[in-house]
Amino acid sequence: MKIIKTLSLALLLVFSLETSAQGISFLDNRPMNEVLEKAKKEGKMIFVDCYTTWCGPCKVLAAKVFPQKEAGDFFNPRFVSLKLDMEKGEGPEMGKKWDVGAYPTLVFMNNDGEVLFQLVGARDGKHLVDTVAYLLEHNKPSETALRYKKGERTSQLVMDYIRELQQNRKNRTAEGVANDFVNNHQQALLTDTLAQQILGRYVQDPHNEGFLYAYQHRDQLPAAILEQLEAKWKMFTKSYYIMGNGAGLSIDEKGMQSYYEFMLSHGVAKAKEYYMQYKLPASFIMKDKRMMFECLEMSKGIDRISGGQISMAINNLEKLELNNSEKQQLEALKKHYADKLINTQNR
């Protein structure tokens, strides 16, 4: 009886191993250089399941799709497959490199590490296999992509390529293409309408050399393009916000201060306004007494700082323990902002 039970247990174990092996065989969060080496050695392509631990559709794929025999039969002979947590280890770096903007993203590469195509979202087993099989046979770079990779850099071609990338959810890659174009075609930014549109629509970072060149010559730009550049100066201030891990909002105060000084050095007339429109609300959300006082003092004379923001900062300060000097400073601030506070209360 004991021998029968032992045999039954052994058979159950073998069956379990065979069942688990029926699906896609994955390497788990292994280094990419190791995956590339294995793929070259075996003459296979590479499939990467880009997932996060909190992604619901990722869990569906892992539990219900990847273990299917049909998926294993198709993927295992063709691919070295890797499950990669996009928030750990090499994940964040690879996510930027592959321009992963949603989860799950399934990345398919040759064994030189060149991305062939990507799929975003969950699919059932048959749909996944059919889609990958079709793309392996038919997916080829577009004419626009080929012309770009061969070195063509007309403003029309670059605009078309950026739009194509965005349609395929490759927003980081599109921004990189835009940055590269305006950096290397600075003179065109003053005369070429399409080049100006690439600058105004797709370049987000004011530190970009082409952006700075165009802004230096802003008297030669159309009003609509200049307005877009001003909006970029303002919005980039928000990049110094730090959102994270249930701790609420904080800011990189030194970075934001340095960026404010950078704006001033490049003649941004509304630098203080852009700076305060993000730092002031951060100060009262963080309940940082020192910062609230500094921001209220610095916001004096800035018309576009709302009465609501002023009121929130003052109300938060009133709830904190203040010394006599701070109480006097607060009363002076309330007096200075009296009109804005009244207008806010009357709404």
Side-chain angles (χ1 to χ4, degrees):
M1 189 69 176
K2 186 175 181 181
I3 294 174
I4 294 174
K5 286 183 178 180
T6 303
L7 287 172
S8 298
L9 184 61
L11 288 171
L12 181 62
L13 179 60
V14 169
F15 178 76
S16 298
L17 289 172
E18 288 179 347
T19 302
S20 63
Q22 285 181 345
I24 300 175
S25 177
F26 280 101
L27 299 175
D28 189 14
N29 288 295
R30 303 293 279 275
M32 276 307 302
N33 60 354
E34 182 180 323
V35 177
L36 287 165
E37 183 179 346
K38 181 175 173 64
K40 283 181 180 294
K41 184 177 180 180
E42 297 181 9
K44 295 180 180 180
M45 295 173 285
I46 298 168
F47 161 51
V48 184
D49 170 29
C50 299
Y51 75 95
T52 66
T53 56
W54 47 262
C55 164
C58 300
K59 294 176 182 178
V60 171
L61 282 176
K64 297 186 177 181
V65 177
F66 295 153
Q68 292 179 15
K69 183 178 185 302
E70 182 178 14
D73 289 346
F74 178 82
F75 276 80
N76 293 337
R78 295 173 174 84
F79 297 97
V80 171
S81 299
L82 171 70
K83 293 185 70 66
L84 187 61
D85 187 332
M86 302 310 288
E87 296 181 328
K88 296 179 181 177
E90 288 186 332
E93 178 187 350
M94 292 298 102
K96 290 180 181 179
K97 181 177 180 180
W98 300 328
D99 199 6
V100 174
Y103 304 106
T105 292
L106 310 181
V107 179
F108 297 85
M109 297 180 286
N110 62 27
N111 56 26
D112 288 321
E114 298 172 336
V115 175
L116 304 173
F117 55 88
Q118 297 180 4
L119 299 174
V120 178
R123 292 165 169 77
D124 63 38
K126 186 176 188 309
H127 186 194
L128 176 62
V129 169
D130 289 347
T131 301
V132 175
Y134 178 86
L135 290 174
L136 286 175
E137 184 177 353
H138 296 93
N139 186 71
K140 296 178 181 179
S142 69
E143 180 184 351
T144 301
L146 289 173
R147 287 165 61 191
Y148 183 85
K149 290 178 181 179
K150 288 179 180 178
E152 185 176 335
R153 292 296 186 273
T154 63
S155 55
Q156 183 64 65
L157 185 279
V158 171
M159 176 67 85
D160 291 343
Y161 188 44
I162 289 171
R163 287 170 174 164
E164 179 181 298
L165 288 168
Q166 288 198 323
Q167 287 174 356
N168 292 320
R169 301 187 184 185
K170 296 180 179 291
N171 294 325
R172 291 195 192 99
T173 304
E175 186 176 345
V177 169
N179 284 331
D180 180 73
F181 177 78
V182 300
N183 276 338
N184 292 290
H185 299 80
Q186 296 181 14
Q187 289 289 335
L189 300 174
L190 306 182
T191 57
D192 185 325
T193 300
L194 273 178
Q196 291 170 348
Q197 290 178 8
I198 291 169
L199 170 67
R201 293 179 187 176
Y202 303 115
V203 176
Q204 307 301 327
D205 188 345
H207 295 89
N208 177 287
E209 292 179 10
F211 182 105
L212 293 174
Y213 178 85
Y215 196 75
Q216 182 183 353
H217 298 84
R218 54 190 175 276
D219 58 327
Q220 300 179 46
L221 296 176
I225 299 300
L226 181 56
E227 185 177 343
Q228 288 177 317
L229 298 191
E230 289 290 344
K232 308 288 187 183
W233 282 114
K234 175 184 173 182
M235 289 300 297
F236 197 79
T237 313
K238 190 178 181 181
S239 68
Y240 297 95
Y241 277 7
I242 302 171
M243 306 291 293
N245 301 326
L249 173 73
S250 61
I251 63 171
D252 173 4
E253 191 172 359
K254 288 184 179 179
M256 192 179 280
Q257 172 69 27
S258 177
Y259 177 64
Y260 169 56
E261 293 168 1
F262 178 75
M263 286 193 286
L264 291 175
S265 71
H266 287 280
V268 181
K270 295 183 178 180
K272 184 187 289 189
E273 175 185 315
Y274 301 158
Y275 181 44
M276 283 298 103
Q277 283 185 331
Y278 285 103
K279 189 172 182 181
L280 175 60
S283 72
F284 60 71
I285 291 171
M286 295 165 59
K287 300 188 184 302
D288 187 313
K289 180 171 65 173
R290 172 194 57 81
M291 196 186 299
M292 280 188 279
F293 272 120
E294 287 180 0
C295 289
L296 286 170
E297 294 289 354
M298 196 171 180
S299 295
K300 289 178 178 178
I302 304 177
D303 292 336
R304 292 184 66 84
I305 298 296
S306 72
Q309 290 188 349
I310 298 296
S311 177
M312 286 292 292
I314 288 176
N315 289 342
N316 273 278
L317 283 170
E318 288 178 329
K319 296 174 184 177
L320 299 177
E321 184 176 341
L322 306 177
N323 59 37
N324 288 334
S325 176
E326 290 169 338
K327 289 177 182 178
Q328 291 175 5
Q329 185 180 5
L330 181 57
E331 289 305 312
L333 286 167
K334 289 165 70 174
K335 184 176 181 181
H336 176 85
Y337 288 113
D339 289 342
K340 277 195 173 186
L341 295 173
I342 290 171
N343 290 336
T344 301
Q345 292 169 356
N346 290 337
R347 288 179 182 176

